[in-house]
């Protein structure tokens, strides 16, 4: 797998051929990459995992903000992307504005909790947002609720262990059902004869656990994954390509640690990312 520092200056000839960077703290952003490839099989993607900084929830905000902006200065200089996707709720709610100001010539797509579609779809009016503690405490998240979900009861649930459990699950490790259930139980509310009917997955790692959530949930709910909406937003910002039937086979994975373990390397190969 490629460490950032191993790259020499690379110039992309045509802006239409320039890569799309999909960035996350770990491997959760692969859920977004998967959907993006369905819509854009002909595009060239570079998946960047800041695994040396994972998990982001344990960082102080100013230090994390500085880290991500510095990382992108290097990524943009090396790869000249036509678009960057921050496939991470914590990073998006914290640093998206800073990135847009620092790199005004590069379009950025962020990942924000899918509160608006949840408010539009709910029948019971009881919606929960399952997120990392960092996303829960961000004013950005509360502003979304105020803007789009004033007619609903929205419960914010900060799960402190789920992103790490998702990484373990993706690696094929056995995870503790009791611990997963403990993390998701606060999402389920019964009130005045009504029940929570939508849980927003407000961390890109969580869709990897969706089948586990369905199996353990006290009752069926719609687990709302934002990946498809993010992919559609990406597509809307990109120039048209001539031949949509082409498939790109040279996608790259970059890990800031430079040393992802064997299980992750196998996973990335399964996603068609070269190392």
């Amino acid at each position: 797998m490629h460490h950032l520092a191993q790259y020499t200056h690379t110039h992309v000839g045509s802006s239409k051929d320039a890569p799309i960077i999909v960035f996350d703290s770990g491997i959760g952003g692969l859920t977004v990459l998967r959907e993006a490839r369905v819509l854009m099989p002909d595009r060239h993607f570079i998946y960047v995992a800041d695994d040396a900084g994972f998990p982001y929830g344990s960082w102080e905000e100013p230090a994390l903000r500085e880290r991500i902006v510095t990382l992108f200065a290097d990524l943009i200089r090396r790869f000249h992307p036509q678009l960057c996707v921050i496939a991470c709720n914590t990073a998006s709610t914290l640093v998206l504005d800073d990135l847009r100001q620092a790199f005004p010539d590069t379009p950025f797509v962020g990942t924000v909790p899918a509160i608006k579609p949840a408010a539009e779809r709910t029948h019971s009016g009881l919606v929960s947002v399952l997120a990392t503690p960092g996303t829960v405490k961000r004013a950005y998240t509360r502003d979304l609720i105020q803007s789009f979900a004033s007619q609903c009861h929205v419960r914010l649930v900060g799960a402190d262990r789920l992103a790490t459990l998702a990484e373990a699950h993706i690696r094929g490790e056995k995870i503790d059902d009791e611990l997963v259930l403990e993390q998701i139980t606060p999402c389920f509310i019964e009130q005045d004869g009504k029940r929570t009917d939508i849980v927003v997955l407000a961390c890109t790692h969580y869709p990897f656990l969706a089948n586990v959530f369905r199996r353990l949930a006290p009752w069926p709910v719609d687990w709302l994954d934002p990946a498809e909406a993010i992919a559609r937003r990406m597509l809307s910002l990109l120039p048209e390509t001539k031949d949509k039937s082409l498939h790109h086979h040279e996608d790259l994975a970059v890990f800031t640690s430079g040393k992802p373990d064997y299980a992750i390397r196998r996973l990335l190969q399964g996603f068609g990312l070269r190392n």
Side-chain angles (χ1 to χ4, degrees), residues 235-258:
L235 184 62
S236 75
L237 294 174
L238 291 167
E240 282 282 320
T241 53
K242 290 186 185 116
D243 189 353
K244 288 189 169 57
S245 66
L246 290 173
H247 282 253
H248 208 290
H249 295 291
E250 302 226 341
D251 291 342
L252 188 66
V254 176
F255 277 63
T256 55
S257 71

PDB file of all heavy atoms in Angstrom, residues 235-258:
ATOM      1  N   LEU A 235     -21.403  13.067  -8.853  1.00  0.00           N
ATOM      2  CA  LEU A 235     -21.671  12.998 -10.290  1.00  0.00           C
ATOM      3  C   LEU A 235     -22.148  14.339 -10.834  1.00  0.00           C
ATOM      4  O   LEU A 235     -21.739  14.771 -11.918  1.00  0.00           O
ATOM      5  CB  LEU A 235     -22.714  11.905 -10.562  1.00  0.00           C
ATOM      6  CG  LEU A 235     -23.051  11.629 -12.033  1.00  0.00           C
ATOM      7  CD1 LEU A 235     -21.828  11.153 -12.802  1.00  0.00           C
ATOM      8  CD2 LEU A 235     -24.166  10.589 -12.134  1.00  0.00           C
ATOM      9  N   SER A 236     -22.985  15.043 -10.046  1.00  0.00           N
ATOM     10  CA  SER A 236     -23.539  16.328 -10.504  1.00  0.00           C
ATOM     11  C   SER A 236     -22.468  17.400 -10.659  1.00  0.00           C
ATOM     12  O   SER A 236     -22.651  18.364 -11.400  1.00  0.00           O
ATOM     13  CB  SER A 236     -24.627  16.807  -9.528  1.00  0.00           C
ATOM     14  OG  SER A 236     -24.039  17.297  -8.333  1.00  0.00           O
ATOM     15  N   LEU A 237     -21.349  17.250  -9.964  1.00  0.00           N
ATOM     16  CA  LEU A 237     -20.286  18.263 -10.012  1.00  0.00           C
ATOM     17  C   LEU A 237     -19.209  17.963 -11.048  1.00  0.00           C
ATOM     18  O   LEU A 237     -18.319  18.790 -11.271  1.00  0.00           O
ATOM     19  CB  LEU A 237     -19.618  18.374  -8.630  1.00  0.00           C
ATOM     20  CG  LEU A 237     -20.491  18.919  -7.503  1.00  0.00           C
ATOM     21  CD1 LEU A 237     -19.751  18.834  -6.176  1.00  0.00           C
ATOM     22  CD2 LEU A 237     -20.917  20.357  -7.777  1.00  0.00           C
ATOM     23  N   LEU A 238     -19.270  16.791 -11.677  1.00  0.00           N
ATOM     24  CA  LEU A 238     -18.205  16.384 -12.589  1.00  0.00           C
ATOM     25  C   LEU A 238     -18.571  16.649 -14.038  1.00  0.00           C
ATOM     26  O   LEU A 238     -19.738  16.596 -14.416  1.00  0.00           O
ATOM     27  CB  LEU A 238     -17.925  14.882 -12.417  1.00  0.00           C
ATOM     28  CG  LEU A 238     -17.290  14.488 -11.085  1.00  0.00           C
ATOM     29  CD1 LEU A 238     -17.353  12.976 -10.909  1.00  0.00           C
ATOM     30  CD2 LEU A 238     -15.852  14.978 -11.001  1.00  0.00           C
ATOM     31  N   PRO A 239     -17.559  16.932 -14.874  1.00  0.00           N
ATOM     32  CA  PRO A 239     -17.837  17.093 -16.307  1.00  0.00           C
ATOM     33  C   PRO A 239     -18.278  15.774 -16.921  1.00  0.00           C
ATOM     34  O   PRO A 239     -17.920  14.696 -16.434  1.00  0.00           O
ATOM     35  CB  PRO A 239     -16.480  17.548 -16.882  1.00  0.00           C
ATOM     36  CG  PRO A 239     -15.466  17.080 -15.896  1.00  0.00           C
ATOM     37  CD  PRO A 239     -16.140  17.107 -14.552  1.00  0.00           C
ATOM     38  N   GLU A 240     -19.049  15.865 -17.987  1.00  0.00           N
ATOM     39  CA  GLU A 240     -19.503  14.656 -18.688  1.00  0.00           C
ATOM     40  C   GLU A 240     -18.308  13.908 -19.272  1.00  0.00           C
ATOM     41  O   GLU A 240     -17.326  14.520 -19.686  1.00  0.00           O
ATOM     42  CB  GLU A 240     -20.436  15.044 -19.846  1.00  0.00           C
ATOM     43  CG  GLU A 240     -21.844  15.394 -19.408  1.00  0.00           C
ATOM     44  CD  GLU A 240     -22.663  14.156 -19.100  1.00  0.00           C
ATOM     45  OE1 GLU A 240     -22.543  13.151 -19.833  1.00  0.00           O
ATOM     46  OE2 GLU A 240     -23.431  14.191 -18.120  1.00  0.00           O
ATOM     47  N   THR A 241     -18.405  12.585 -19.311  1.00  0.00           N
ATOM     48  CA  THR A 241     -17.394  11.802 -20.024  1.00  0.00           C
ATOM     49  C   THR A 241     -18.034  11.197 -21.258  1.00  0.00           C
ATOM     50  O   THR A 241     -19.243  10.981 -21.299  1.00  0.00           O
ATOM     51  CB  THR A 241     -16.824  10.668 -19.143  1.00  0.00           C
ATOM     52  OG1 THR A 241     -17.900   9.901 -18.625  1.00  0.00           O
ATOM     53  CG2 THR A 241     -15.993  11.222 -18.006  1.00  0.00           C
ATOM     54  N   LYS A 242     -17.190  10.930 -22.270  1.00  0.00           N
ATOM     55  CA  LYS A 242     -17.731  10.479 -23.561  1.00  0.00           C
ATOM     56  C   LYS A 242     -18.277   9.060 -23.486  1.00  0.00           C
ATOM     57  O   LYS A 242     -19.334   8.762 -23.992  1.00  0.00           O
ATOM     58  CB  LYS A 242     -16.623  10.544 -24.625  1.00  0.00           C
ATOM     59  CG  LYS A 242     -16.225  11.970 -24.991  1.00  0.00           C
ATOM     60  CD  LYS A 242     -15.241  11.954 -26.155  1.00  0.00           C
ATOM     61  CE  LYS A 242     -14.754  13.378 -26.428  1.00  0.00           C
ATOM     62  NZ  LYS A 242     -13.339  13.542 -26.201  1.00  0.00           N
ATOM     63  N   ASP A 243     -17.524   8.167 -22.861  1.00  0.00           N
ATOM     64  CA  ASP A 243     -17.894   6.747 -22.899  1.00  0.00           C
ATOM     65  C   ASP A 243     -18.120   6.210 -21.492  1.00  0.00           C
ATOM     66  O   ASP A 243     -17.190   5.869 -20.778  1.00  0.00           O
ATOM     67  CB  ASP A 243     -16.789   5.953 -23.592  1.00  0.00           C
ATOM     68  CG  ASP A 243     -17.208   4.503 -23.856  1.00  0.00           C
ATOM     69  OD1 ASP A 243     -18.302   4.119 -23.377  1.00  0.00           O
ATOM     70  OD2 ASP A 243     -16.468   3.771 -24.520  1.00  0.00           O
ATOM     71  N   LYS A 244     -19.386   6.127 -21.106  1.00  0.00           N
ATOM     72  CA  LYS A 244     -19.722   5.670 -19.753  1.00  0.00           C
ATOM     73  C   LYS A 244     -19.618   4.150 -19.603  1.00  0.00           C
ATOM     74  O   LYS A 244     -19.764   3.623 -18.516  1.00  0.00           O
ATOM     75  CB  LYS A 244     -21.134   6.128 -19.390  1.00  0.00           C
ATOM     76  CG  LYS A 244     -21.221   7.616 -19.139  1.00  0.00           C
ATOM     77  CD  LYS A 244     -22.567   7.979 -18.583  1.00  0.00           C
ATOM     78  CE  LYS A 244     -22.626   9.399 -18.055  1.00  0.00           C
ATOM     79  NZ  LYS A 244     -22.281  10.405 -19.033  1.00  0.00           N
ATOM     80  N   SER A 245     -19.388   3.450 -20.727  1.00  0.00           N
ATOM     81  CA  SER A 245     -19.292   1.993 -20.641  1.00  0.00           C
ATOM     82  C   SER A 245     -17.900   1.542 -20.193  1.00  0.00           C
ATOM     83  O   SER A 245     -17.692   0.389 -19.851  1.00  0.00           O
ATOM     84  CB  SER A 245     -19.614   1.366 -21.998  1.00  0.00           C
ATOM     85  OG  SER A 245     -18.614   1.721 -22.942  1.00  0.00           O
ATOM     86  N   LEU A 246     -16.923   2.446 -20.220  1.00  0.00           N
ATOM     87  CA  LEU A 246     -15.566   2.081 -19.814  1.00  0.00           C
ATOM     88  C   LEU A 246     -15.507   1.818 -18.317  1.00  0.00           C
ATOM     89  O   LEU A 246     -16.209   2.449 -17.538  1.00  0.00           O
ATOM     90  CB  LEU A 246     -14.599   3.233 -20.144  1.00  0.00           C
ATOM     91  CG  LEU A 246     -14.311   3.491 -21.628  1.00  0.00           C
ATOM     92  CD1 LEU A 246     -13.479   4.747 -21.766  1.00  0.00           C
ATOM     93  CD2 LEU A 246     -13.588   2.304 -22.243  1.00  0.00           C
ATOM     94  N   HIS A 247     -14.644   0.900 -17.938  1.00  0.00           N
ATOM     95  CA  HIS A 247     -14.409   0.643 -16.517  1.00  0.00           C
ATOM     96  C   HIS A 247     -12.969   0.963 -16.205  1.00  0.00           C
ATOM     97  O   HIS A 247     -12.063   0.539 -16.918  1.00  0.00           O
ATOM     98  CB  HIS A 247     -14.718  -0.825 -16.164  1.00  0.00           C
ATOM     99  CG  HIS A 247     -16.174  -1.077 -16.036  1.00  0.00           C
ATOM    100  ND1 HIS A 247     -16.795  -1.277 -14.827  1.00  0.00           N
ATOM    101  CD2 HIS A 247     -17.146  -1.124 -16.970  1.00  0.00           C
ATOM    102  CE1 HIS A 247     -18.090  -1.456 -15.034  1.00  0.00           C
ATOM    103  NE2 HIS A 247     -18.328  -1.374 -16.316  1.00  0.00           N
ATOM    104  N   HIS A 248     -12.766   1.709 -15.162  1.00  0.00           N
ATOM    105  CA  HIS A 248     -11.410   2.083 -14.778  1.00  0.00           C
ATOM    106  C   HIS A 248     -10.855   1.030 -13.830  1.00  0.00           C
ATOM    107  O   HIS A 248     -11.497   0.647 -12.876  1.00  0.00           O
ATOM    108  CB  HIS A 248     -11.424   3.460 -14.095  1.00  0.00           C
ATOM    109  CG  HIS A 248     -10.135   4.180 -14.276  1.00  0.00           C
ATOM    110  ND1 HIS A 248      -8.985   3.761 -13.660  1.00  0.00           N
ATOM    111  CD2 HIS A 248      -9.801   5.257 -15.020  1.00  0.00           C
ATOM    112  CE1 HIS A 248      -8.001   4.567 -14.012  1.00  0.00           C
ATOM    113  NE2 HIS A 248      -8.467   5.483 -14.830  1.00  0.00           N
ATOM    114  N   HIS A 249      -9.638   0.562 -14.104  1.00  0.00           N
ATOM    115  CA  HIS A 249      -9.081  -0.525 -13.303  1.00  0.00           C
ATOM    116  C   HIS A 249      -7.793  -0.127 -12.586  1.00  0.00           C
ATOM    117  O   HIS A 249      -7.054  -0.986 -12.149  1.00  0.00           O
ATOM    118  CB  HIS A 249      -8.817  -1.751 -14.177  1.00  0.00           C
ATOM    119  CG  HIS A 249     -10.080  -2.341 -14.734  1.00  0.00           C
ATOM    120  ND1 HIS A 249     -11.016  -2.968 -13.951  1.00  0.00           N
ATOM    121  CD2 HIS A 249     -10.568  -2.370 -15.997  1.00  0.00           C
ATOM    122  CE1 HIS A 249     -12.033  -3.377 -14.702  1.00  0.00           C
ATOM    123  NE2 HIS A 249     -11.787  -3.025 -15.938  1.00  0.00           N
ATOM    124  N   GLU A 250      -7.521   1.159 -12.493  1.00  0.00           N
ATOM    125  CA  GLU A 250      -6.241   1.562 -11.920  1.00  0.00           C
ATOM    126  C   GLU A 250      -6.431   2.410 -10.674  1.00  0.00           C
ATOM    127  O   GLU A 250      -5.696   3.365 -10.448  1.00  0.00           O
ATOM    128  CB  GLU A 250      -5.431   2.339 -12.968  1.00  0.00           C
ATOM    129  CG  GLU A 250      -5.193   1.522 -14.211  1.00  0.00           C
ATOM    130  CD  GLU A 250      -3.748   1.589 -14.682  1.00  0.00           C
ATOM    131  OE1 GLU A 250      -3.053   2.521 -14.278  1.00  0.00           O
ATOM    132  OE2 GLU A 250      -3.342   0.703 -15.441  1.00  0.00           O
ATOM    133  N   ASP A 251      -7.422   2.066  -9.881  1.00  0.00           N
ATOM    134  CA  ASP A 251      -7.664   2.839  -8.668  1.00  0.00           C
ATOM    135  C   ASP A 251      -6.621   2.485  -7.609  1.00  0.00           C
ATOM    136  O   ASP A 251      -6.134   1.361  -7.529  1.00  0.00           O
ATOM    137  CB  ASP A 251      -9.079   2.597  -8.145  1.00  0.00           C
ATOM    138  CG  ASP A 251     -10.128   3.208  -9.066  1.00  0.00           C
ATOM    139  OD1 ASP A 251      -9.769   4.065  -9.879  1.00  0.00           O
ATOM    140  OD2 ASP A 251     -11.299   2.825  -8.954  1.00  0.00           O
ATOM    141  N   LEU A 252      -6.323   3.472  -6.797  1.00  0.00           N
ATOM    142  CA  LEU A 252      -5.187   3.408  -5.893  1.00  0.00           C
ATOM    143  C   LEU A 252      -5.651   3.601  -4.458  1.00  0.00           C
ATOM    144  O   LEU A 252      -6.610   4.330  -4.213  1.00  0.00           O
ATOM    145  CB  LEU A 252      -4.258   4.558  -6.294  1.00  0.00           C
ATOM    146  CG  LEU A 252      -2.884   4.693  -5.686  1.00  0.00           C
ATOM    147  CD1 LEU A 252      -1.995   3.537  -6.111  1.00  0.00           C
ATOM    148  CD2 LEU A 252      -2.276   6.022  -6.139  1.00  0.00           C
ATOM    149  N   ALA A 253      -4.993   2.947  -3.520  1.00  0.00           N
ATOM    150  CA  ALA A 253      -5.251   3.172  -2.094  1.00  0.00           C
ATOM    151  C   ALA A 253      -4.002   3.771  -1.462  1.00  0.00           C
ATOM    152  O   ALA A 253      -2.893   3.287  -1.689  1.00  0.00           O
ATOM    153  CB  ALA A 253      -5.609   1.866  -1.408  1.00  0.00           C
ATOM    154  N   VAL A 254      -4.196   4.822  -0.688  1.00  0.00           N
ATOM    155  CA  VAL A 254      -3.100   5.486   0.013  1.00  0.00           C
ATOM    156  C   VAL A 254      -3.419   5.476   1.502  1.00  0.00           C
ATOM    157  O   VAL A 254      -4.492   5.927   1.908  1.00  0.00           O
ATOM    158  CB  VAL A 254      -2.945   6.951  -0.475  1.00  0.00           C
ATOM    159  CG1 VAL A 254      -1.866   7.671   0.312  1.00  0.00           C
ATOM    160  CG2 VAL A 254      -2.645   7.004  -1.962  1.00  0.00           C
ATOM    161  N   PHE A 255      -2.515   4.942   2.302  1.00  0.00           N
ATOM    162  CA  PHE A 255      -2.683   4.924   3.755  1.00  0.00           C
ATOM    163  C   PHE A 255      -1.602   5.790   4.393  1.00  0.00           C
ATOM    164  O   PHE A 255      -0.423   5.636   4.066  1.00  0.00           O
ATOM    165  CB  PHE A 255      -2.595   3.488   4.299  1.00  0.00           C
ATOM    166  CG  PHE A 255      -3.893   2.742   4.195  1.00  0.00           C
ATOM    167  CD1 PHE A 255      -4.457   2.484   2.956  1.00  0.00           C
ATOM    168  CD2 PHE A 255      -4.559   2.333   5.321  1.00  0.00           C
ATOM    169  CE1 PHE A 255      -5.662   1.826   2.846  1.00  0.00           C
ATOM    170  CE2 PHE A 255      -5.767   1.674   5.225  1.00  0.00           C
ATOM    171  CZ  PHE A 255      -6.325   1.415   3.983  1.00  0.00           C
ATOM    172  N   THR A 256      -2.013   6.691   5.293  1.00  0.00           N
ATOM    173  CA  THR A 256      -1.035   7.619   5.866  1.00  0.00           C
ATOM    174  C   THR A 256      -0.017   6.910   6.749  1.00  0.00           C
ATOM    175  O   THR A 256       1.091   7.394   6.929  1.00  0.00           O
ATOM    176  CB  THR A 256      -1.729   8.743   6.657  1.00  0.00           C
ATOM    177  OG1 THR A 256      -2.583   8.161   7.656  1.00  0.00           O
ATOM    178  CG2 THR A 256      -2.552   9.633   5.746  1.00  0.00           C
ATOM    179  N   SER A 257      -0.377   5.747   7.278  1.00  0.00           N
ATOM    180  CA  SER A 257       0.577   4.994   8.091  1.00  0.00           C
ATOM    181  C   SER A 257       1.623   4.299   7.223  1.00  0.00           C
ATOM    182  O   SER A 257       2.714   3.984   7.680  1.00  0.00           O
ATOM    183  CB  SER A 257      -0.140   3.929   8.927  1.00  0.00           C
ATOM    184  OG  SER A 257      -0.601   2.887   8.067  1.00  0.00           O
ATOM    185  N   GLY A 258       1.251   4.031   5.963  1.00  0.00           N
ATOM    186  CA  GLY A 258       2.130   3.286   5.076  1.00  0.00           C
ATOM    187  C   GLY A 258       2.170   1.808   5.370  1.00  0.00           C
ATOM    188  O   GLY A 258       2.865   1.055   4.689  1.00  0.00           O
TER     189      GLY A 258
END
